Amino acid sequence: MEQKLARSVSIIGTSTLPQRYFDDPMYEGLSIYELWACACHQAMEDAGVKPRDVDKIVYSQMANYVTAGNVLGMVGTLEEWIGLAGKPIIHIEQACASGYIAFMEACNAVASGKCDIVLVAGIETPKHFNARNQPAHMIRPIAEYEEWWSPGRALFDTTYYRFDGVSDNLLTDEQARFYMKEYGVSEETIDDTYNAMSVNLRRNASRNPRAAERREFAEIAKENGFDDVMEYMRSEEHNRKITRFIRKRGSVLHNVAAGAIVVCSSDIAKKFSQKPIEVIDFASSSNTQRFPYCFHQMNVDVRDALYKDDIDPNELDLMITTVMTSGEQLDSAEVFGYLPEGKGYQYEIDGRTCFDGDKPINPHGGDLSFGHAFGASGINMLSEAILQMRGEAGDCQVQKDVQKCLVRGMGGGHTTVGIILEKK
């Protein structure tokens, strides 16, 4: 594919920190500043660059004024922690699309010629808060916080056609309604598709040491007396429906995480890395209330902006996509042409989207099992794509050489992003 940027941009480094919860012993006494700095140092070490080599930092975090203890911006502290004091730094907040938009901003800085090397890094603590007037490492679970705050309520409107029950789970049924309307698929088939998707993603995550949840549903089903994992997934007792179409196991899994990526001008990439990944192009769209089924429409808008004459979706070896709820993976895979329109559900049911299938999607486990850390999630999704393209994804490595990858992200119901990567 021909790169569409004014100056070629390559990815030369990434972090591989695990997705975890704050009750994990490995995080005891750890502040979000330390976690963020760890990701930055890891990415720079992977890239073979020193802090002095970095021209700019782009930092992503959602609503840090709430989750970071009422600190409006912690960028100054972060610069000190990673040895980049005095370097220009930008904070991006675009809900769960923050990491993707931050990556695009970093690429634009290099493509413009303004910078040669840019560090993009994100941090998020979506289910925990720093206690007011306490040291930064004193994290408290959201349930214990006296001023309880729901990110979902802050991000979603409940007017027009919105599902009036959006909460911290970021729930929506609109993709299922659209799919049934367009293709005549039954509600039972939608349920089987979504359940199969959850099983497939957990199978992928079980092989990924960075994933937040790694126990396969087949194993959990047997423990609960089910020989058939799909029967377990249909059980209201063990996997209840939390909307008309979405079940508990098909909703986003929130966790804490940090991630970082280093991008640079392609003409110097080989100086630092033997496995650079080229950024071909990217696009984004926001139109929350312009259309019914707006999540689907935003996918269409981004596809139309991203796909040029020389881009053939049949050449894509892998797709990484945000999965806030089950329908998002199916809709985005079909809109972008990775799966055939109106037939993608069968790929999920047949397991062909698993890491070892012929059409792998989210081999790392996706947001349903790998985890989703709001402003940091986009960077971590990109990192998983990078590992797959390098052939360094371990036991969840897809069963073919990944030359071309589509990374598609979504944030807050109002921003969708598409990014095309290629191994040269």
Side-chain angles (χ1 to χ4, degrees):
M1 296 178 184
E2 181 182 350
Q3 192 174 61
K4 308 302 178 183
L5 307 180
R7 185 191 191 200
S8 295
V9 178
S10 294
I11 300 167
I12 56 173
T14 189
S15 60
T16 56
L17 296 182
Q19 311 291 298
R20 292 292 183 265
Y21 307 113
F22 261 113
D23 55 5
D24 192 307
M26 71 177 291
Y27 284 153
E28 185 175 358
L30 186 67
S31 73
I32 58 175
Y33 306 97
E34 293 168 306
L35 187 62
W36 192 89
C38 183
C40 292
H41 283 297
Q42 191 180 83
M44 287 189 288
E45 182 178 357
D46 183 53
V49 304
K50 303 295 184 184
R52 65 175 177 270
D53 300 321
V54 176
D55 298 314
K56 181 178 181 178
I57 313 140
V58 185
Y59 143 68
S60 65
Q61 185 183 17
M62 172 187 154
N64 63 308
Y65 72 94
V66 176
T67 59
N70 230 7
V71 178
L72 185 58
M74 53 187 195
V75 293
T77 303
L78 295 177
E79 285 181 297
E80 293 284 354
W81 278 63
I82 57 176
L84 291 169
K87 301 281 179 120
I89 185 168
I90 293 177
H91 172 206
I92 301 292
E93 192 291 292
Q94 192 76 351
C96 303
S98 300
Y100 300 105
I101 300 296
F103 176 80
M104 291 165 58
E105 172 66 23
C107 291
N108 280 329
V110 173
S112 70
K114 187 75 173 178
C115 302
D116 288 328
I117 301 175
V118 178
L119 172 68
V120 52
I123 175 68
E124 204 63 79
T125 61
K127 298 281 277 188
H128 303 76
F129 292 112
N130 286 106
R132 299 283 194 258
N133 305 314
Q134 296 291 335
H137 70 275
M138 297 184 67
I139 306 296
R140 292 172 58 186
I142 191 172
E144 298 179 9
Y145 207 76
E146 59 270 16
E147 297 175 21
W148 191 86
W149 174 76
S150 168
R153 283 296 180 192
L155 292 172
F156 282 78
D157 68 274
T158 55
T159 60
Y160 190 30
Y161 59 90
R162 283 277 174 223
F163 168 68
D164 188 18
V166 174
S167 66
D168 196 28
N169 292 306
L170 304 180
L171 305 177
T172 178
D173 277 352
E174 68 169 21
Q175 283 106 343
R177 291 193 182 97
F178 175 84
Y179 207 81
M180 291 170 62
K181 174 179 177 289
E182 288 294 305
Y183 306 117
V185 176
S186 70
E187 189 166 335
E188 291 73 19
T189 298
I190 289 291
D191 193 36
D192 283 348
T193 301
Y194 287 3
N195 286 330
M197 186 184 302
S198 298
V199 171
N200 296 339
L201 290 174
R202 182 60 63 86
R203 179 169 177 260
N204 294 345
S206 71
R207 290 157 173 79
N208 187 345
R210 296 173 298 281
E213 294 291 344
R214 301 182 60 200
R215 290 190 66 213
E216 288 200 50
F217 286 125
E219 177 186 346
I220 296 172
K222 285 187 181 299
E223 286 185 1
N224 287 276
F226 292 86
D227 293 327
D228 181 358
V229 65
M230 290 295 284
E231 185 181 352
Y232 168 80
M233 298 299 286
R234 296 185 196 104
S235 166
E236 280 296 317
E237 178 183 357
H238 299 284
N239 188 27
R240 73 186 186 280
K241 283 191 174 182
I242 46 183
T243 72
R244 177 180 171 185
F245 300 104
I246 306 298
R247 293 183 182 271
K248 182 64 177 176
R249 304 295 194 182
S251 181
V252 63
L253 176 69
H254 295 149
N255 63 283
V256 59
I261 295 172
V262 180
V263 299
C264 75
S265 170
S266 294
D267 58 3
I268 62 172
K270 285 292 180 71
K271 174 183 175 181
F272 299 101
S273 172
Q274 296 306 306
K275 296 181 179 180
I277 305 298
E278 195 161 324
V279 182
I280 300 300
D281 202 3
F282 43 78
S284 64
S285 175
S286 299
N287 58 12
T288 304
Q289 295 184 11
R290 283 170 47 203
F291 295 95
Y293 308 118
C294 77
F295 287 179
H296 171 80
Q297 185 61 44
M298 284 192 287
N299 282 329
V300 171
D301 290 349
V302 173
R303 177 202 63 197
D304 292 347
L306 185 63
Y307 283 7
K308 307 298 192 299
D309 293 338
D310 64 332
I311 294 179
D312 182 357
N314 293 315
E315 295 181 356
L316 295 170
D317 301 304
L318 174 64
M319 183 172 185
I320 304 287
T321 182
T322 301
V323 193
M324 295 287 191
T325 57
S326 305
E328 195 174 351
Q329 177 165 306
L330 179 61
D331 185 75
S332 58
E334 290 195 9
V335 169
F336 283 89
Y338 187 73
L339 295 181
E341 184 179 350
K343 299 178 181 178
Y345 71 92
Q346 196 64 53
Y347 284 69
E348 294 287 357
I349 292 173
D350 293 342
R352 296 173 64 182
T353 59
C354 286
F355 77 97
D356 54 355
D358 62 318
K359 282 291 187 178
I361 303 177
N362 290 330
H364 61 298
D367 306 77
L368 304 187
S369 286
F370 178 78
H372 178 86
F374 289 93
S377 61
I379 293 172
N380 287 321
M381 296 280 272
L382 284 158
S383 293
E384 291 298 314
I386 293 163
L387 295 177
Q388 289 286 344
M389 298 184 79
R390 288 177 173 181
E392 298 175 358
D395 291 342
C396 64
Q397 180 71 46
V398 302
Q399 306 297 292
K400 56 182 172 180
D401 184 30
V402 181
Q403 290 288 330
K404 302 178 180 68
C405 178
L406 169 66
V407 180
R408 174 264 176 201
M410 191 276 284
H414 56 69
T415 300
T416 296
V417 176
I419 300 167
I420 297 179
L421 307 176
E422 184 173 8
K423 183 167 62 178
K424 295 293 189 178

Short mmCIF file of all heavy atoms in Angstrom, two decimals, residues 55 177 347 357:
data_model
loop_
_atom_site.label_atom_id
_atom_site.label_comp_id
_atom_site.label_asym_id
_atom_site.label_seq_id
_atom_site.Cartn_x
_atom_site.Cartn_y
_atom_site.Cartn_z
N ASP A 55 11.35 14.32 20.66
CA ASP A 55 11.07 15.73 20.40
C ASP A 55 9.77 16.20 21.04
O ASP A 55 9.60 17.41 21.26
CB ASP A 55 10.97 15.96 18.89
CG ASP A 55 12.27 15.64 18.17
OD1 ASP A 55 13.33 16.07 18.65
OD2 ASP A 55 12.21 14.95 17.13
N ARG A 177 -29.99 -4.33 16.59
CA ARG A 177 -31.21 -3.89 15.92
C ARG A 177 -30.95 -3.65 14.44
O ARG A 177 -31.73 -4.03 13.58
CB ARG A 177 -31.75 -2.61 16.58
CG ARG A 177 -32.29 -2.81 17.98
CD ARG A 177 -33.08 -1.58 18.41
NE ARG A 177 -33.57 -1.70 19.77
CZ ARG A 177 -32.97 -1.19 20.84
NH1 ARG A 177 -31.84 -0.51 20.69
NH2 ARG A 177 -33.46 -1.34 22.04
N TYR A 347 -18.99 -16.50 10.84
CA TYR A 347 -17.56 -16.61 11.14
C TYR A 347 -17.34 -16.67 12.65
O TYR A 347 -16.46 -17.41 13.13
CB TYR A 347 -16.81 -15.42 10.56
CG TYR A 347 -16.59 -15.48 9.06
CD1 TYR A 347 -17.66 -15.36 8.18
CD2 TYR A 347 -15.32 -15.63 8.54
CE1 TYR A 347 -17.46 -15.39 6.80
CE2 TYR A 347 -15.10 -15.68 7.16
CZ TYR A 347 -16.19 -15.56 6.29
OH TYR A 347 -15.99 -15.61 4.94
N GLY A 357 -7.78 -18.84 13.56
CA GLY A 357 -8.71 -18.94 12.45
C GLY A 357 -8.19 -18.22 11.22
O GLY A 357 -7.15 -17.56 11.25
#
